[in-house]
Amino acid sequence: MSLPADYHMHTPLCLHAVGEPTELAAHAVKLGLKEIGFSDHSPMPRDGFDNWRMKDSQLDEYVARVEQARRDHPGLVIKLALEVDYLPGGEDWIRHLATRHPWDYFIGAVHYVSESWDLDNPAKISEWKNRDPMEVWTVYFERLTMAAESGLFDIIAHADLCKKFCFYPKQDCTPLFTRFLEAAKRHGVAMELNTAGLRKDCKEIYPSPAIVQLAFRLGVPITFASDAHAPTEVGMNFPEAIQLARSAGYTHYLRFTRRRREEVKL
Ligand SMILES: [Zn+2]
Ligand SMILES: [Zn+2]
């Protein structure tokens, strides 16, 4: 079985990943992957916004390292991308980022549910303990819906990242999921199946089977993502992700070139 493209991987420039792009690419070749894409955490308008991303001045260096991986592995298709944090009001910055290099795609991600709380940050897990999970999930999915509607992104990252530490609402969240997925469908945005969730407390692919099934029914296309922060994580658990996609009904996924999409048979 040939593995789909792994479109989500990081580099040491984000300060919490190991392995140069060429090392991740080497692992991809070993696994038999035909295509990968680097999508490191994008710079923010202000350096020092947080401590888990490259500085603005490092963007060219990032592109150079991805280009090195391309030269070292001519048989592997390597896409150039970013995982871009969506915060309301940050749209102009993202439009500016888009003009700076010939990106193949932008992955829109919500980590921040306020200016200062990145809800997947283990150092801030105590924030969860003071809040009703439903309130946090509601803000999270509202922002994810805005990201899908913004027209700035080709793919939405880890759609239920809010489950990472297992703070699950008691209420039914289907309306939150539906609003997000309808927006994604309307604006032609894909959703990634991200296996990093299997490596976290939630022990489940992002997003859950319920969301993947709803996405298929609503006609939202998908991509595949390991969210690798180390060479050995490239393509990790892809057979499970393929199984999840197929069981929901998916027969195709998307690949992107210079922000144009193409369907590929799964
Ligand atoms: Zn990361
Ligand atoms: Zn992320």
Side-chain angles (χ1 to χ4, degrees):
M1 180 177 59
S2 84
L3 295 172
D6 185 345
Y7 263 14
H8 192 146
M9 44 190 66
H10 294 275
T11 83
L13 288 171
C14 72
L15 306 171
H16 61 280
V18 294
E20 288 302 317
T22 194
E23 296 173 74
L24 277 79
H27 194 77
V29 170
K30 205 163 88 184
L31 288 178
L33 284 164
K34 300 280 180 284
E35 179 168 337
I36 60 172
F38 286 92
S39 53
D40 209 358
H41 299 289
S42 70
M44 285 300 229
R46 177 170 65 77
D47 287 337
F49 176 83
D50 57 27
N51 60 359
W52 50 269
R53 65 185 67 250
M54 68 183 86
K55 291 192 179 72
D56 185 54
S57 60
Q58 293 175 306
L59 196 64
D60 293 352
E61 171 67 19
Y62 167 62
V63 173
R65 292 190 196 187
V66 173
E67 284 169 350
Q68 182 62 47
R70 283 176 170 160
R71 283 193 295 276
D72 294 346
H73 304 279
L76 180 67
V77 178
I78 301 180
K79 300 297 185 183
L80 177 67
L82 284 172
E83 178 182 10
V84 183
D85 271 81
Y86 177 78
L87 277 94
E91 292 84 354
D92 285 347
W93 169 252
I94 299 167
R95 264 188 283 274
H96 166 64
L97 270 180
T99 64
R100 291 169 61 183
H101 288 282
W103 310 109
D104 289 306
Y105 55 91
F106 267 11
I107 303 180
V110 173
H111 303 97
Y112 283 89
V113 287
S114 73
E115 283 295 308
S116 58
W117 184 26
D118 34 350
L119 55 61
D120 63 323
N121 190 336
K124 298 180 190 167
I125 197 165
S126 62
E127 296 282 339
W128 277 103
K129 297 180 178 139
N130 310 322
R131 288 179 175 82
D132 172 6
M134 189 60 180
E135 278 174 32
V136 182
W137 282 50
T138 301
V139 174
Y140 174 83
F141 274 97
E142 277 171 1
R143 288 187 170 205
L144 207 65
T145 303
M146 289 168 77
E149 285 171 338
S150 68
L152 298 168
F153 307 115
D154 307 289
I155 304 164
I156 294 292
H158 41 58
D160 61 357
L161 182 67
C162 47
K163 76 183 172 191
K164 178 177 177 181
F165 300 123
C166 303
F167 292 96
Y168 291 102
K170 291 185 196 66
Q171 297 90 332
D172 176 18
C173 293
T174 309
L176 302 179
F177 306 155
T178 305
R179 268 198 296 279
F180 156 61
L181 292 167
E182 283 175 347
K185 170 63 184 166
R186 238 181 358 258
H187 295 270
V189 185
M191 177 182 83
E192 66 175 22
L193 269 52
N194 181 320
T195 60
L198 292 168
R199 311 194 291 273
K200 311 298 182 193
D201 294 352
C202 59
K203 300 260 183 291
E204 186 181 72
I205 289 172
Y206 303 120
S208 65
I211 297 177
V212 178
Q213 286 156 16
L214 198 51
F216 177 74
R217 283 208 297 278
L218 292 171
V220 177
I222 53 168
T223 60
F224 289 86
S226 67
D227 213 339
H229 286 69
T232 54
E233 291 174 354
V234 172
M236 200 176 241
N237 298 116
F238 267 31
E240 288 94 319
I242 295 165
Q243 171 59 30
L244 173 61
R246 287 217 174 104
S247 67
Y250 283 99
T251 55
H252 291 77
Y253 68 95
L254 294 186
R255 61 195 299 256
F256 290 88
T257 307
R258 300 281 180 103
R259 309 203 69 172
R260 292 209 174 166
R261 68 191 50 210
E262 192 183 331
E263 281 201 319
V264 187
K265 206 163 164 15
L266 189 57

